Amino acid sequence: MAYIDQAFFSTYNPVVPIPEEEFLPLAERASDVIDMITMQKIQTAGIASFAEPIQTAIKKATAAELDTLYAQGGLSALVGNSDTDTASFSIGKFSMGGGRTQSASSLRTMNGIPISPLINGYLLTTGLLYRGMGWR
């Protein structure tokens, strides 16, 4: 289940409209990334069980990840084929292989999926990044 809807994303980032047919799959995957980062704490407890400020932080983190996924190629970013990959080309006997641009190589990834650098900032004070024992 996605932690955000298109209305929330539109208020988070009104500049980047995401087509409806791409929004739901990207929102689902962005929510999955948030679940992986938080070690399934949100999925286990349910987003409604958290206080309103924590719910807002979860939604902003999800929107930031969705924004990153869309900027890196949309659904193709989920399989490691982002739009920032440069193409290979040949001219006569000269050929040059593809690679990643600087912006793509500086992004943190998890299993090849680009991760928004804003996620930790949004979730840092929520306790959801805590890896020790005794949480809830």
Side-chain angles (χ1 to χ4, degrees):
M1 182 176 107
Y3 296 135
I4 62 171
D5 56 16
Q6 200 152 16
F8 182 89
F9 184 78
S10 296
T11 59
Y12 174 81
N13 188 350
V15 178
V16 179
I18 296 180
E20 268 187 62
E21 63 274 0
E22 281 189 64
F23 181 83
L24 188 57
L26 285 174
E28 291 283 344
R29 295 303 71 81
S31 299
D32 290 344
V33 168
I34 299 301
D35 283 334
M36 286 185 265
I37 290 171
T38 61
M39 298 182 69
Q40 310 301 326
K41 291 174 185 162
I42 304 164
Q43 184 181 35
T44 301
I47 192 169
S49 69
F50 295 95
E52 192 65 36
I54 295 176
Q55 287 183 34
T56 301
I58 292 166
K59 289 177 181 182
K60 284 183 175 182
T62 305
E65 179 59 19
L66 193 152
D67 201 19
T68 298
L69 290 174
Y70 188 70
Q72 295 299 316
L75 297 173
S76 64
L78 298 171
V79 292
N81 299 326
S82 73
D83 280 350
T84 55
D85 290 340
T86 56
S88 300
F89 68 94
S90 297
I91 301 173
K93 292 183 180 183
F94 175 78
S95 65
M96 185 167 194
R100 290 193 174 271
T101 62
Q102 180 62 32
S103 64
S105 65
S106 64
L107 272 177
R108 190 175 101 199
T109 62
M110 179 184 292
N111 300 325
I113 298 171
I115 304 297
S116 171
L118 297 172
I119 290 174
N120 283 349
Y122 286 130
L123 297 179
L124 190 61
T125 60
T126 65
L128 292 168
L129 301 178
Y130 179 65
R131 299 284 192 244
M133 296 191 55
W135 189 86
R136 284 199 175 221

